Amino acid sequence: MLASKIDQQQQNLEALVTSLDEILGLVVQFDPKKYGASRNFKNGAVSRLSPYISRDVISTLFVYEHLTDIFEDLRPFEKFIQELAWRDYWQRVWQENNIDVELKTKQSPVLNSGVPKAILEANTGIEAVDNAIQELYETGYMHNHMRMYVAAIVCNIGKYHWKEPALWLYSHLHDGDWGSNALSWQWVAGSNSHKKYYANQENINKYFDSDQKNTFLDCSYEALVEMNVPDVLTESTPFEFKTELPKSNLNLRADKPVLLYTTYNLDPFWRKDMDANRVLILETEQFEKYPVSQKSLDFILDLSKNIPDLQIFSGSFQDFSEHISQPIFFKEHPLNTHFAGTKDSRDWLNPEVELQSSFFKYWKKVKKSLPEFA
């Protein structure tokens, strides 16, 4: 029975759903009972909801409130609720900081730039890692624990600066969220934490059903810290990527306001009953700074079909706003602070909790504010 559930879960990951009914079905199907104990394993009980939370089709609050409707006591699932809070926290950090540079400490040592060619080609020699990169290219998915392994290999074994490799991974992830992605890479590299993250071959074998030996990671943690850059990681390639945006298809009604959607706001419930023009803006500058693969863009566009009569505008907000006179409504996000109009809040677990200096200080306050944990 367990094996069949795991096989079904893997099939779902390989074919991400995009219709609203199917997405809501995933919310209903998710059982958080085994999440805390198994989430770090390759076939652990992950929720599969991150692509939809990242794109704001559903929110962390939406998922939390669903769980409160199903379970009388959420305390056994605290680890999962904590992970929802992590997503809010990374966004709050991004709101108040430039996360394209080191947040706390300058990464050191940095001996290489670009992305290791062995990573791009899924040819590191670490079988579990190479298989995960191939899966990323094929499905837009990489297990969160594996993302840490990849970042540790690149930044702490290969001594590469975190930024370009983080952009590479982000560009292929269907749940791509620059806030959580950039800050997680910085955390691994030690520029958003007090120490670097390392994982050896034994650790990878334990969590990813592998028994590989005699790799450059098959050593003690003490040896990893002192290791010279392995030959397989020395050849690098600059991260160069261009996203081809679709053409605009605007036909706006002059007597209606505009609801402006973005790749981080594809909420089909947002102002649902409002009689308005609905426009997905794909800003050229955003995709130049944070490009995505064609597969990821197609996933975003498929999700946008859950919003009736949605039109597309590819270009800058300035160009868009200069040619319309209607009132504009949008949802807050770190990438659209330059938008003008009526700004709606996102659905945080608790918007009244202020950003703290660390996640666990933030979580402590969020947890205290949630009636189910009070």
Side-chain angles (χ1 to χ4, degrees):
M1 178 69 74
L2 178 59
S4 65
K5 286 184 178 180
I6 289 174
D7 289 344
Q8 182 62 49
Q9 184 180 68
Q10 288 303 109
Q11 292 173 15
N12 288 336
L13 288 171
E14 291 167 7
L16 286 173
V17 302
T18 55
S19 77
L20 182 58
D21 286 345
E22 290 173 311
I23 294 167
L24 296 179
L26 292 179
V27 177
V28 172
Q29 293 166 23
F30 174 59
D31 185 347
K33 293 186 182 70
K34 296 180 180 179
Y35 176 84
S38 68
R39 69 189 183 94
N40 284 331
F41 290 86
K42 177 183 177 181
N43 294 320
V46 296
S47 71
R48 296 168 286 136
L49 299 177
S50 61
Y52 315 109
I53 294 174
S54 293
R55 303 299 169 195
D56 202 31
V57 179
I58 55 177
S59 66
T60 54
L61 180 62
F62 181 91
V63 176
Y64 177 78
E65 289 181 339
H66 167 73
L67 293 177
T68 64
D69 290 340
I70 301 299
F71 300 100
E72 291 184 4
D73 185 2
L74 295 187
R75 286 173 294 181
F77 320 134
E78 179 173 337
K79 189 60 184 176
F80 180 73
I81 307 302
Q82 191 179 89
E83 291 302 311
L84 294 178
W86 263 112
R87 288 196 161 269
D88 281 5
Y89 181 72
W90 287 142
Q91 291 296 310
R92 302 287 292 275
V93 172
W94 190 8
Q95 280 183 326
E96 298 190 15
N97 297 274
N98 176 8
I99 62 171
D100 287 353
V101 298
E102 279 83 344
L103 192 64
K104 295 180 179 178
T105 306
K106 187 175 178 62
Q107 182 186 346
S108 179
V110 175
L111 305 180
N112 294 300
S113 61
V115 187
K117 189 175 181 182
I119 290 287
L120 294 177
E121 296 178 351
N123 192 30
T124 66
I126 311 298
E127 293 173 0
V129 171
D130 294 341
N131 290 340
I133 294 171
Q134 289 287 4
E135 182 182 13
L136 171 70
Y137 291 152
E138 293 167 8
T139 69
Y141 171 79
M142 181 179 282
H143 191 286
N144 281 339
H145 203 176
M146 178 55 69
R147 299 181 199 193
M148 294 172 63
Y149 291 153
V150 171
I153 290 170
V154 173
C155 297
N156 301 334
I157 305 300
K159 309 294 193 296
Y160 283 76
H161 189 266
W162 66 269
K163 176 74 177 296
E164 289 188 62
L167 284 169
W168 158 76
L169 181 61
Y170 168 85
S171 70
H172 291 285
L173 289 170
H174 284 357
D175 68 356
D177 177 331
W178 184 241
S180 61
N181 194 64
L183 292 168
S184 294
W185 275 79
Q186 288 201 43
W187 184 87
V188 169
S191 59
N192 184 27
S193 59
H194 299 298
K195 61 180 181 179
K196 299 173 184 288
Y197 172 80
Y198 289 90
N200 63 11
Q201 188 66 55
E202 181 182 8
N203 188 287
I204 294 174
N205 289 347
K206 174 183 177 180
Y207 289 101
F208 276 78
D209 297 332
S210 173
D211 60 0
Q212 193 176 9
K213 299 184 183 301
N214 301 318
T215 69
F216 64 83
L217 293 180
D218 194 13
C219 59
S220 68
Y221 283 96
E222 292 77 12
L224 281 183
V225 173
E226 301 297 329
M227 180 183 294
N228 292 325
V229 178
D231 290 343
V232 70
L233 299 178
T234 55
E235 187 174 358
S236 67
T237 301
F239 176 75
E240 297 177 345
F241 212 81
K242 184 176 181 180
T243 304
E244 296 292 338
L245 298 177
K247 293 181 179 179
S248 303
N249 64 352
L250 290 186
N251 184 21
L252 301 181
R253 287 279 303 273
D255 59 337
K256 295 182 179 181
V258 175
L259 296 184
L260 205 55
Y261 297 78
T262 70
T263 58
Y264 286 111
N265 170 25
L266 296 175
D267 180 359
F269 302 109
W270 177 51
R271 292 183 176 264
K272 185 177 180 180
D273 296 327
M274 187 173 182
D275 187 17
N277 296 289
R278 300 177 188 273
V279 178
L280 170 61
I281 184 169
L282 302 173
E283 288 204 279
T284 308
E285 183 178 357
Q286 174 188 328
F287 286 94
E288 287 175 349
K289 289 181 67 175
Y290 312 112
V292 301
S293 70
Q294 187 61 50
K295 284 186 177 181
S296 290
L297 181 60
D298 288 344
F299 177 68
I300 291 167
L301 294 176
D302 284 344
L303 289 176
S304 75
K305 295 175 183 177
N306 291 303
I307 302 167
D309 303 317
L310 186 69
Q311 302 178 54
I312 293 177
F313 177 79
S314 296
S316 70
F317 175 80
Q318 181 177 354
D319 287 343
F320 177 80
S321 61
E322 283 179 351
H323 294 90
I324 67 170
S325 58
Q326 303 97 308
I328 295 175
F329 297 79
F330 62 94
K331 268 193 181 184
E332 64 177 340
H333 190 272
L335 283 178
N336 60 29
T337 56
H338 58 293
F339 283 13
T342 299
K343 179 173 66 176
D344 288 347
S345 174
R346 299 176 68 189
D347 293 328
W348 310 97
L349 286 177
N350 189 332
E352 296 180 2
V353 174
E354 295 181 353
L355 180 65
Q356 304 295 311
S357 59
S358 73
F359 169 72
F360 289 102
K361 289 181 180 179
Y362 177 77
W363 167 241
K364 186 177 180 180
K365 289 183 176 294
V366 170
K367 180 180 175 181
K368 187 176 180 180
S369 74
L370 300 174
E372 291 76 14
F373 287 94

